[in-house]
Structure formats: structure tokens, C-alpha cells
Amino acid sequence: MNGVRTATGKKIEPLGKMFAKLPKRALTRVGVVDVGSNSIRLVVFDGAARSPAYFYNEKVMAGLGAEMAATGRLNPAGIERGFAALRRFATLARSMQIEPLTCVATAAVREAADGPEFQERVERETGIRMLVIDGEEEARLSAQGVLLGWPDAKGLVCDIGGNSLELAEVEGGKVGRRVSAPLGPFRLQQVKGGADGLRDHIRAIMADLADRMGTEHERVYLVGGSWRAIARLDMERRQYPMTVLHEYRMTPEAVAETVGWIAATPLADLRARVSISSSRMELVPLAAQVLSELVGTFAPAELAVSSYGIREGLLYEHMTDSLRRRDPLIEAARFTERQMARMPGFGKKLYQFLHPIFADAPPERERLIRAACLLHDTTWRAHPDYRAEACFDNVTRANMAALSHSERVFLGLALLHRYKNNRSESPMARLFALLSDDEVRDAETLGKAMRFGAMFAIEDPADAGALKLTDKGTRLRLTLTKTGRSLMGEVAHSRFRSLCSSMGVEAVVSD
């Protein structure tokens, strides 16, 4: 689909063209409202960079699509909650000078008999122009949201809402085939025939989706609040040490165990163990059945949770191709350095100074080294006794894309060692288990390299000396300049020797 339509069927310009017409000033802060079947959310992105920050984020569980499958109309209570939320969002957007505010509505509004009436009232009473998109457009935007977080994503994006489920192929930075199906929990609540009837209903629709989309997809990217709730429960069941949902991975076997656990456990007991709203938890058992059939039908090797979806897909619309090709992790690290480091720009110099140590690092490790150098000084305002833990915590919980959980821990551990030689008795120790012994050692080496390089010189360590691995990698030689001879004091010698010790090489200092 190249465009969108209103609930009355009127064609509107494609979203990409709409964004292209925005004044440059508006692109520095972009506001998006997503009117779904279950929730209505306002997100304001700060900046149009490759890895935008969430300036403002608010959600209301309006339940517009509750009982719509039975009545054909929007939920009356949900309509009033929705209007209250949208009036507030419109006022907030004006206060933040967001103009225009982009608002899209999905399955509930597009399928309800009173959808056009709701759409018109929203515009009349709030000034918000609501764009009602069809299922394929919803699938495309959700897939673009995944591409914002995973530039190299390859597989099948599955977005579940209250009334529908969308599938889209992604590969090579592009969105391919896409379909929509009536498999949202609200709609499934109306299926007759008990447990067997519900299972057969889901299975038949899923088989049709497989015929249309194919079953050759190795990875499924899960988008939507119900999937995230199930993933959070999977973390709880496994006692997984990290609670960041974005890029959380599940195997088909783990999904089967968690679905069984959900079915056998009272919802009140599940809610007591995790922070999930009662309105969301009520939909989890039905969503779990859909997920079980999805896994059984498409047989992926892995499922990955995405916190990015339709809202991020809307932001992705106005990014140029060159911007889309940038690494979100490096862009986020650069932005953080500009905002929080004492000497913005030093991170690049530090990376170049340390590069001879890591010259043979593969691309997936090199980007982590580069990001660590950009972030090495961004927690300097924290109390010295807590800087190591603060930077570890910041990175492992940060809103950064294109970063797996193990990569988060690697980056955090490297930054911990940038401030601290010893990690024993660290309160973060449980997370270290996500790394292999070799990865722990490599993170320590990177941290100690930054610990030395960051204090060796103030403006540019390259002005003070150069590093080189010699004698088949058994020695690390630091060749000092005239300036470097003055800077190579007792603490610098100590940190250089600590770096070499972690690398298992001999320390050599020469003029």
C-alpha cells in the first residue's frame, strides 16, 4: 500500500509525502499518537536522528475495541476514555509546540460502524487529524518500526493488537509481503465452541497466513503489548537477570513452556509477580494461544521482542536512505556524548588511540568498542564511588537500538572497568552470566584500555604517544612523544601495566 485512507474511504496522501512537507523545525521534535483497539499512546521523539530519544511517552488503556466483534461498534466507555486522552494529548502537543501532531488509528476505528463518527468528532473537538490506516499499511509501519531498531532485520514481523494481527516480511532494509488477520484477543473473545472451537479457529486462520506468507522465516519479530507481556512472564519464569524487553530472545521451546505456565496459573498470581496492568493481563491467555499456534505453524528458530512498532515506523517514514543506513547504536552514543561528556569529541580520539590494540576485532565487536569510547565519560557527574555501577546500569537499561542483551552487558562491563579495576562483589554480577568467559575478559581489557587512555592526555592521547602490539602480539609498546614523557606519571604507569596484565602481554614504554 502506498497511502492511507479515512474511515469513510477517502484517500489521503502517503505518509512519506506528508512528512516531507513538514517544516524543518518540526522535524527536530516529532509527535505521534497511535489509536489502537486497546490502548491510545502519545510519543514525542526528540530529534530526527537515527536513534531518537523519547522526549515524552504516555499511554491510556481506553479499550476502544472491547466487545466490538459482538456489537460492530466501538466500546462506549472506551470512546469517552479515548476522547479524554486525545484532548489531553492535543493540549500537551500544543504546549510542546508539536505541529502537526501525527495521529493514526488501526483496526477498531477502521472496522467499527461508528468509526467515521468517532474520527470526525476527534477532529472537531480536539483539532487532531486522525488517519485511519488499513491492515496492510499497519503491517508496513510496524515492520518499519522494527527496521528502525534492527537495520539488518531479516524475518517475519508479527504485530498483535486488540482486534487484529499483522504480518510483514523484512529483509535488506525493506518491507516485503504483508497481511492482516482477525486474531486480536478482543475478537477472539467472541469465538464460539469453547476451547476446541477457539483452537480450531486460530489454527485455520494461521494456516491461511502461512500459505500467503510462507514458512521459511528463521526469526519472528514480536511487536505489541500482549507479546511484551508474555515475554516479561517468560523472563520471570526463567529468572532471567535482565528485564529490558527490547531484543529479548525466546526459543520455541521456551514459548511452549511459558504458554503452559500461563494457562495453569491464575492471572492474579501472574500479576503479583510482574508489573503488567490488569487490562493487559486479561488479554494475555488469548494472546498466548495465538503465539503458540504462530510458533507451531511458522516454526521459527527464534523469536525476538521489539519495543519498536507503528509509532517508530511513522518516524522512520521521513528518514532519508542515508540516515536509515546509519548505525543506531553509534548515533545514540554520539548524541549521549554531546549531551553529557565533559569533552565532547574526545571519544573519537580515544578510539583512534586505542585502535591498534583492537585492530583485528570483527565488525560486531568493533562497533561496541567505538560506542564504549564515545560513552566513556558520560557518567562523570555521578559520585566517584558509584560511577562504575552507574555507567553499567545506564547502558544496560538505556534506550539504545541494535544492541542485544549480551552486547548491552559487554558494553556496560567495559564501562564499569573504565572506572574500576575490580568487579568482585559488584551488585551487577548476575548480569555477567550473559557473557562467556572470553567476553568478560575482552570487556575488562577494553575498560582498562579506556581507563588508561582517558587519563593519559586531556586533549588528544595521540599527541602524547602511540600504541603498538609487537613481537607477535606478546608486547604492548607505548612510544611517548615529548609531551607524553611529561604526562607519563605514576598513575599512568600503573594503569598501563594493569591494561597489559589483563591482555596477558608485556608492557613496554619507550621514547
Side-chain angles (χ1 to χ4, degrees), residues 238-278:
R238 293 176 54 199
Q239 290 298 289
Y240 188 74
M242 184 182 289
T243 56
V244 174
L245 286 167
H246 188 63
E247 291 222 19
Y248 179 62
R249 311 296 174 90
M250 295 185 289
T251 63
E253 294 76 19
V255 168
E257 291 183 28
T258 297
V259 168
W261 179 53
I262 291 170
T265 308
L267 293 185
D269 292 350
L270 294 176
R271 278 202 70 213
R273 300 182 65 158
V274 296
S275 180
I276 298 175
S277 69
S278 57

Side-chain angles (χ1 to χ4, degrees), residues 4 27 84 115 164 182 191 214 229-230 299 403 422 435 453 456:
V4 295
L27 295 182
S164 66
V191 174
I230 293 171
L403 195 64
N422 195 334
L435 301 179
F456 181 44

Side-chain angles (χ1 to χ4, degrees), residues 210-486:
D211 288 342
R212 298 168 67 184
M213 298 298 290
T215 58
E216 69 280 5
H217 312 284
E218 293 260 326
R219 179 181 292 168
V220 170
Y221 299 88
L222 299 175
V223 176
S226 292
W227 293 153
R228 291 193 294 273
I230 293 171
R232 181 64 187 88
L233 290 167
D234 186 71
M235 288 177 169
E236 178 68 17
R237 180 188 64 79
R238 293 176 54 199
Q239 290 298 289
Y240 188 74
M242 184 182 289
T243 56
V244 174
L245 286 167
H246 188 63
E247 291 222 19
Y248 179 62
R249 311 296 174 90
M250 295 185 289
T251 63
E253 294 76 19
V255 168
E257 291 183 28
T258 297
V259 168
W261 179 53
I262 291 170
T265 308
L267 293 185
D269 292 350
L270 294 176
R271 278 202 70 213
R273 300 182 65 158
V274 296
S275 180
I276 298 175
S277 69
S278 57
S279 57
R280 176 67 68 192
M281 187 63 81
E282 288 175 2
L283 303 181
V284 163
L286 286 170
Q289 292 184 59
V290 175
L291 183 59
S292 180
E293 293 297 335
L294 176 77
V295 171
T297 301
F298 287 90
E302 180 182 65
L303 298 97
V305 178
S306 174
S307 294
Y308 297 169
I310 191 170
R311 294 172 293 275
E312 290 75 16
L314 285 164
L315 184 64
Y316 194 81
E317 275 287 328
H318 73 257
M319 290 183 179
T320 64
D321 287 341
S322 61
L323 185 58
R324 291 176 179 180
R325 286 194 293 268
R326 294 183 187 177
D327 187 330
L329 171 61
I330 301 304
E331 291 296 298
R334 285 173 177 158
F335 177 83
T336 303
E337 184 193 35
R338 287 196 302 271
Q339 296 294 314
M340 303 177 66
R342 283 173 289 191
M343 294 174 287
F346 185 85
K348 181 178 180 180
K349 298 173 183 177
L350 177 62
Y351 168 79
Q352 292 170 337
F353 174 68
L354 299 177
H355 185 263
I357 302 176
F358 308 107
D360 295 331
E364 61 271 16
R365 177 60 56 79
E366 187 273 339
R367 65 192 290 268
L368 297 181
I369 296 168
R370 187 184 296 269
C373 289
L374 292 168
L375 295 169
H376 85 279
D377 189 46
T378 54
T379 55
W380 69 273
R381 289 185 181 274
H383 189 284
D385 291 347
Y386 301 105
R387 282 178 188 160
E389 279 71 27
C391 63
F392 183 96
D393 195 53
N394 285 348
V395 168
T396 52
R397 297 175 185 271
N399 175 44
M400 290 183 176
L403 195 64
S404 70
H405 283 194
S406 61
E407 289 173 331
R408 283 178 181 271
V409 176
F410 180 93
L411 197 52
L413 186 55
L415 290 166
L416 183 151
H417 279 295
R418 178 262 181 268
Y419 286 108
K420 190 176 182 180
N421 273 328
N422 195 334
R423 64 178 174 274
S424 63
E425 299 182 3
S426 169
M428 315 297 182
R430 287 182 67 241
L431 293 172
F432 302 164
L434 296 181
L435 301 179
S436 67
D437 290 343
D438 286 346
E439 289 170 329
V440 168
R441 185 195 64 242
D442 291 349
E444 177 182 337
T445 296
L446 173 56
K448 290 185 174 181
M450 293 188 295
R451 184 170 172 79
F452 165 67
M455 62 81 61
F456 181 44
I458 295 296
E459 294 184 358
D460 188 346
D463 292 338
L467 293 168
K468 185 177 182 181
L469 279 168
T470 64
D471 300 311
K472 298 182 180 180
T474 62
R475 292 182 176 184
L476 180 60
R477 181 179 296 276
L478 173 63
T479 303
L480 300 173
T481 65
K482 181 179 179 180
T483 300
R485 289 194 293 273
S486 300

